[in-house]
């Protein structure tokens, strides 16, 4: 897609929920609101393939033509987030098995294991059919695979277990290596046969095995996505292949960066149900770090099922839409066109109310679209501050008895500070992405990796301001602590040694000062011994009162700051004011 | 039973828990307290039928004669709420299967499925035996079937599932009709075989399927009750057949009105463990709407197992008993005679303490009985305000992602307002029951039904004051929203149109005013567009600030009021003061 | 062990977690800190017996020699708290079955049933091997069996059920006796076959059956411990056999007094993770009542996994260690030597941090050891106040719908009052242990036992001050209430009768006064009718306002006080000030 292209705003539509005689009226109202694109066909498997071997595309043909006929573009979804009942009857073992030992029941969604070969084949087939049928349609601009991939993290069934065993064997080679890598001698967990290894489906399992499980699950989803992408690719010419990712809490299950590399997709797309400005910024900036351009395939308007109901302040819909477009989204589709009359989401807000008459929300959406259309084309932001972000670090954190709450740390502490100070930030997802930044924040970066270490040191020496926070490189990739707290190279760059790491209980904080102003530190604090570094601030209370909490060391053309505690967003701004602005 | 007959007050007794040599003393003390009736034999299956084919009625004969010999009347219970261990061993599949996938274990009560043919037959047999043995005893005045029927709502076992499939098929005919009726295209839930349909045992299932499940469960209990009623009826002459219903929260599982029509019973009886005056009124008024006369088969005295313990204010036992008698109860038996020495309820309060000596509670109970006996016979109340109440509306509400909390709405908002203003109300359980009322409140009435619509319109036109609240007729019987918010006839009667429905988060409220006085509105508010209606009050804050919240429209000889929010009890009183008193 | 011997302070060490080349440095640092003893080999089964029939003792030999070679004593553990994966694969039925009906999964610890014959035999074998190999080593001073025994209380598997049936049959003889003893006629729970009896794995089961289950579980653990003790005893000469008990909340599962009598052990040892002074006193005093001397095999230093993290006040490690030694502990080993790099406890505090360099905690531990070494040998305390304590009373309490919360009652109310007033107390675990006491508190003593009754009466008549609290002897051993509240003998000794028992809701209190000063009473209050007793104080509010709450009756050379409510620790001190000090 041309990055200079205008942003297409539209809507998610479920024609199968409404009488066909209503379709023309719906499409007319969409046009009148200024909409340009419509996403359809999600969750329609039982309609398109009502039985094994029986296909019914005619209804979808008519829907596509009605929409296209009105001059609207289309995005079509594969329906694989909801296997139809007949398929579950055919393959009962596609159902994940919950930690209670029961297969998921029908009646919800996402009731399948991405590891089931038969299910993958059925998905491949319907995805290919969809691509064959609509892949050359002139108004179809792209395809969404599945919906909000995730969910195997708690599957303890035999399918998941056996696949995990194969994956572990391929990765570690021998049981001896597995034992050594993970530290299974703890509590006598040395396995003498791969088949003995349990599914570590809850976070209270062995931290090493649990972290491996997280990696395995993420890769399973990437592979699942890839099957559909490969089936569709030959038949869709230059149309876009994507999937609507969810960046919310449980969106941490999947390494979206790996998915973008390995999943066979063209661009990153996400669903946005946030009501907070900084969280919207986080989504946009993360999306932009993942691909250019990006799409928003579900943009909330109105209530959701349980949330965003009065008295929560109403989402400034127009503002959020405009900000998203300015931040580089090239497609934004509101979820959803009209409140559903039936099903689990029957109370979900929409552009139209149940009655189907244009009302207040229709008017606001029309305004938002007009504002986007009228906006001057501007270049997307070029942030000068980077935030290191990796999913494996999040998995290690959540697999430990004392989680760092990685996502909160990144979103509410680090990113929010940057966002409120600078309007946007750039996520650094791999060591090679530091170029062009002036400051980089390294928070919750648990896993030591020589490439990261070298890149960060080079960044500082090359003139950047490197700002590191507690637990830097504290562990290896298998969630084992490293006995070496800072490597010799890092000790030199930061000009300090770390003597002790201290847990701060959730909901509590330690006070520290920076240029006389107090700030609060959470999660972890560390005892520093400065060598060549200058002390910028000290702990005011807590177990380290009076000791330095933040130091800076000039190195090469830049500097390396070590902050021995996690400030909240306000404190993060203060740190940046002190070390980034003046330091630059 | 003769409605003019005096109210018989007595006690629930478990002779099988005590040495036979104590019985005479117990009965003597009952007599001295003025008691007239004793309920016995609940939960005694393992004693009466200790093994398959082995019967022991002798102990019960002796208990009956001891009681009858002292001039006390008797009510006998069938013991079917507790299948004995040998029967569970014989028929393991009578145990309901919990949502964790495990059969209930022994050691509690109500561990059976009412759908199990073998269990129903065993119940039929013991009920028939009981009726044959005591159905012509001169001191026996009635029989209680089972105890507090309920509990299959979470049975996911194969027995329940298969029965549900048969019931759905009988009701909907074809899978296509089922799909169309419930809206199963949502999330691809169109079934191609009845056997695929899951038991929607939690409220997070498809709202349409869940509502059907609630209806199915209620009917299963009615049918179960009927089996025993039919077996006993031929052998008990004019003695009363009833069951002790529970109107507490989980008593909403069963449509007691349908049970009274179809369950083969003579009158409605209930258990009363409430400590609140308005809840006692609610029980009595609901009971009177269900049958005349009614009985109270468990009236709490003292602590219960976990509740009503200090510092909760002590129940004004004498007052509640007298009020119940005045409200038309013809039998009131206290639960229970003496604190049990063993078993789950060993800490439950009773007329006598563990030691068995008459004490403070014995004295209070004696006083209460004397007060009832001394009271002038009065006619039961003739309320002029009705409150529409149906169980299917409650099921729809609780089957939706955003429940209206129907029971609370009726009890704490609508009824409480009426009770505190007028002392009593009449529950309108079907369209034909509006006669004689001057005002009727229609709250939480989700299901549109032409009979109800016509009856309510006729009521208003005929001179009554109809007061409707949000979500009036918002859905069809299958929990689907209706795209038409108000029918043309209702638009005319109320003189308004509804433009929008807004969820109010639980625990929050919107402020409105009525004649200058503020009141709080909960649950849902709606945007009204008045046509011919006059505006009686407006929203003061919230998403509709300044817009009308309550309107009135003269129609025929009466008027139709639409309140676009749910006031609490105080607000309900204010509404009635405004529209009912002056309006009448 | 010689009670006059000095206290050996040392550490818990996991050599298998560290490279062998580090061992010498670790041992050197231990020596330098003044340590004298090292506990090792816990949880090492998968290392010592990596497969069925394959043994590897060489690594442990080397570890033992490294430690012993540095002049440190050793305590060796049997590794049976963690069956290795191969054994679970061999014997899947050693896994307890949770109340969700699923076997425990691997990946934690204590995943075995002590009732499994095959597992017991495997434990016997490895315990015997350990004793054979190290039982005559001159530096080995003792052996720890397993680790923190407990955990079958929720095992609903067939193994547990069948063993429970056998145990019940041996204890009660016939089903008729079982029925009579427990009161199974309640809710029709009379069993006609032993096999019908459920595992009452949750506290909501029949109170009688649940209390029996608790007793059965405790005895199962004692028998399990005995198997290992008997296997080791012949091979260890005069070395000490013990197990590290846990006195925390879930430590109430096992009757440690019975374990000391029947488990084949030499002395009582416990783990101590408490941060509160009075709880430390409770542990020490309870341990001393259980055996002389006693050991502390895990003494916390620093954070634990989730607890004791900032801002909780840091444990006064030096003070607690010194107090424990003064209270008679002859071994104290800190948990653990160094923070683990891997496994569930990787965030657990230790003497050394992850980096392995001596730091702040190392210095504090060294100081604590020096203080203990420098202390004058003193006689252990000789408390004059006793507190009756029995595990069966705790089980009855927790098996009832309204628990007395026995452990809290003893620890936070009774013991804390004594501790804060007198510095220590003596626990009276059986009727024969009253000698030498001047005052004895009897709280939560539910079970009536003639031996206890006689002993307490004799104690008072012989010159002691007997202080009893609500529910004294209220039940029989099977959790049935006794209809007789006080026996004639007790009525005479206390000079009162009890008329009524009243539940006080959790979190609430009744006010009473004692010599004009107010105090708060919890849990239960009782209505007393004084006969020959003098009234010492009265209820100020609540359901018994104005009535006496505490009475005293002179009897023989002493006196008997009845307190009809449970004061908190402050109130308990006030009561003792009034009745013990002046009265003595």
């Amino acid at each position: 897609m041309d990055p200079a292209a205008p942003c297409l705003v539209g809507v998610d539509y479920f024609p199968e929920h409404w009488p066909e005689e209503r379709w023309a009226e719906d499409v007319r109202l969409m046009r009148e609101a200024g909409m340009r694109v419509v996403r359809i066909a999600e969750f329609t498997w039982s309609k398109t393939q009502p039985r094994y071997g029986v296909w019914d595309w005619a209804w979808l043909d008519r829907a596509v033509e009605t929409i296209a006929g009105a001059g609207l573009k289309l995005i079509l979804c594969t329906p694989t987030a909801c296997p139809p009942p007949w398929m579950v009857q055919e393959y009962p073992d596609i159902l994940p098995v919950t930690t209670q030992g029961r297969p998921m029941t029908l009646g919800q969604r996402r009731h399948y294991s991405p590891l089931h070969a038969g299910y993958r084949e059925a998905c491949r087939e319907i995805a290919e059919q969809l691509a064959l049928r609509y892949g050359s349609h002139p108004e179809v601009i792209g395809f969404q695979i599945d919906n909000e991939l995730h969910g195997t993290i708690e599957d303890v069934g035999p399918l998941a277990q056996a696949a995990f065993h194969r994956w572990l064997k391929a990765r570690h080679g021998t049981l001896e290596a597995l034992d050594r890598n993970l530290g299974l001698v703890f509590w006598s967990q040395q396995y003498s046969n791969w088949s003995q290894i349990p599914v570590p489906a809850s976070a209270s399992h062995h931290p090493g095995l649990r972290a491996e499980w997280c990696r395995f699950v993420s890769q399973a989803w990437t592979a699942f996505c890839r099957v559909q992408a490969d089936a569709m690719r030959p038949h869709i010419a230059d149309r876009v292949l994507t999937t609507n990712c969810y960046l919310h809490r449980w969106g941490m299950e999947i390494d979206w960066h790996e998915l973008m590399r390995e999943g066979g997709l063209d661009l990153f797309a996400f669903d946005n149900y946030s009501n907070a400005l900084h969280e919207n910024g986080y989504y946009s900036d993360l999306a932009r770090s993942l691909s250019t351009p990006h799409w928003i395939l579900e943009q909330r308007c109105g209530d959701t099922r349980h949330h965003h109901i009065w008295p929560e302040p109403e989402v400034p819909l127009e503002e959020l839409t405009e900000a998203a477009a300015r931040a580089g989204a090239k497609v934004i589709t509101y979820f959803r066109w009209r409140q559903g009359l039936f099903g689990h989401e029957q109370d979900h807000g929409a552009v139209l109310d149940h009655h189907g008459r244009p009302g207040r929300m229709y008017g606001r959406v029309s305004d938002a679209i007009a504002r986007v259309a009228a906006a001057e084309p501007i270049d997307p932001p070029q942030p000068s501050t980077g935030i290191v972000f990796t999913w494996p670090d999040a998995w290690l954190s959540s697999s430990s008895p004392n989680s760092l709450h990685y996502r909160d740390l990144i979103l509410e502490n680090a990113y929010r500070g940057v966002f409120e100070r600078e309007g946007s930030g750039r996520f650094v997802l791999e060591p090679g992405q530091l170029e062009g930044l002036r400051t980089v924040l390294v928070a919750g970066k648990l896993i030591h990796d020589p490439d990261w270490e070298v890149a960060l040191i080079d960044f500082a020496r090359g003139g950047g301001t490197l700002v590191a926070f507690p637990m830097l490189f504290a562990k290896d990739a298998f969630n084992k602590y490293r006995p070496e707290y800072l490597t010799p190279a890092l000790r030199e760059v930061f000009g300090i040694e770390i003597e002790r790491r201290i847990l701060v209980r959730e909901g509590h904080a330690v006070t520290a000062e920076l240029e006389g102003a107090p700030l609060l530190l959470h999660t972890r604090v560390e005892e520093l011994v400065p060598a060549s570094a200058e002390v910028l601030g000290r702990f005011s209370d807590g177990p380290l009162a009076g000791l330095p909490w933040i130091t800076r060391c000039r190195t090469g053309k830049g500097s390396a700051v070590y902050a021995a505690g996690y400030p909240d967003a306000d404190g993060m701004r203060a740190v940046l004011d002190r070390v980034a602005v003046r330091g630059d």
Side-chain angles (χ1 to χ4, degrees), chain A residues 8-322:
Chain A
L8 301 177
V9 187
V11 78
D12 300 320
Y13 186 44
F14 297 87
E16 68 278 15
H17 292 182
W18 305 99
E20 289 203 26
E21 50 275 25
R22 166 79 192 193
W23 293 356
E25 168 74 356
D26 281 335
V27 169
R28 187 185 65 77
L29 289 169
M30 291 174 195
R31 288 285 316 188
E32 285 186 15
M35 291 177 176
R36 307 273 300 274
V37 61
V38 183
R39 188 197 71 171
I40 63 170
E42 229 189 5
F43 307 132
T44 56
W45 201 327
S46 67
K47 197 156 171 71
T48 303
Q49 192 181 9
R51 278 167 186 69
Y52 182 73
V54 177
W55 296 87
D56 175 7
W57 294 101
W59 75 271
L60 187 54
D61 290 346
R62 293 192 297 275
V64 166
E65 290 319 318
T66 304
I67 295 163
L72 291 157
K73 304 288 182 196
L74 283 142
I75 298 165
L76 295 178
C77 308
T78 73
T80 56
C82 279
W86 63 260
M87 190 177 307
V88 176
Q89 198 166 40
E90 188 81 7
Y91 298 131
D93 55 344
I94 72 169
L95 297 174
V97 177
T98 70
T99 49
Q100 279 83 39
R102 296 248 307 162
M104 274 183 74
T105 54
L106 289 193
Q108 309 287 335
R109 50 180 175 172
R110 308 210 58 68
H111 46 284
Y112 69 88
S113 164
L115 299 160
H116 191 283
Y119 187 62
R120 276 206 307 265
E121 171 53 23
C123 292
R124 198 203 56 71
E125 185 184 10
I126 200 165
E128 185 179 52
Q129 292 296 318
L130 188 81
L132 276 167
R133 195 159 194 101
Y134 305 108
S136 55
H137 193 292
E139 303 306 323
V140 171
I141 61 168
F143 292 88
Q144 169 189 313
I145 289 171
D146 205 274
N147 170 63
E148 296 177 357
L149 295 169
H150 81 283
T152 310
I153 201 79
E154 290 188 342
D155 181 357
V156 302
L159 196 67
Q161 188 170 23
F164 184 43
H165 294 162
R166 289 192 299 274
W167 184 90
L168 285 173
K169 190 169 183 178
R171 183 163 155 88
H172 297 271
T174 65
L175 287 163
E176 290 69 28
L178 180 77
D179 170 14
R180 204 168 45 242
N181 290 339
L182 306 189
L184 296 175
V185 68
F186 186 83
W187 286 356
S188 206
Q189 299 178 53
Q190 295 166 301
Y191 301 99
S192 56
N193 191 307
W194 296 97
S195 66
Q196 295 160 355
I197 301 173
V199 170
S202 91
S204 66
H205 269 267
H206 189 290
L209 198 64
R210 171 73 181 181
E212 287 293 88
W213 171 251
C214 292
R215 183 179 300 272
F216 162 76
V217 166
S218 177
Q219 292 186 1
W221 284 113
T222 294
F224 176 79
C225 181
R226 181 68 184 239
V227 167
Q228 294 190 39
D230 287 350
M232 300 174 80
R233 179 67 69 199
H235 313 299
I236 62 169
D238 63 349
R239 284 163 193 80
V240 163
L241 258 185
T242 188
T243 183
N244 57 332
C245 303
Y246 200 44
L247 297 171
H248 196 60
R249 216 157 285 278
W250 38 267
M252 299 303 290
E253 264 182 48
I254 298 176
D255 182 339
W256 302 115
H257 187 46
E258 187 172 66
L259 183 86
M260 289 311 299
R261 291 195 312 270
E262 310 286 344
L265 304 178
D266 295 311
L267 58 76
F268 183 77
F270 68 98
D271 293 348
N272 181 14
Y273 287 89
S274 171
N275 208 13
L277 271 175
H278 75 282
E279 193 170 356
N280 273 268
Y282 164 80
Y283 290 157
S284 287
D285 285 340
L286 191 48
R288 217 171 43 244
S289 300
L290 283 159
S291 83
T292 301
H294 65 270
W295 288 2
I296 301 178
L297 285 172
E298 298 185 19
Q299 170 63 46
R300 178 169 64 82
C301 60
D303 311 337
T304 57
R305 267 208 297 168
H306 301 290
H307 303 293
H308 310 112
I309 61 183
W310 202 85
E312 189 177 312
E314 279 199 63
V315 53
L317 172 70
E318 302 80 350
E319 192 176 334
L320 293 183
T321 307
E322 205 180 343

Side-chain angles (χ1 to χ4, degrees), chain A residues 129 287 370 387 515:
Chain A
Q129 292 296 318
I387 299 135
E515 304 201 301

Side-chain angles (χ1 to χ4, degrees), chain A residues 521-547:
Chain A
L521 304 174
H522 300 86
T523 312
R524 295 286 189 286
V525 291
E526 293 175 341
E527 180 178 339
L528 303 183
V529 181
S532 55
E534 64 173 316
V535 173
L536 301 184
R538 292 179 180 273
F539 290 105
S540 309
D541 63 14
L544 300 170
L547 297 181

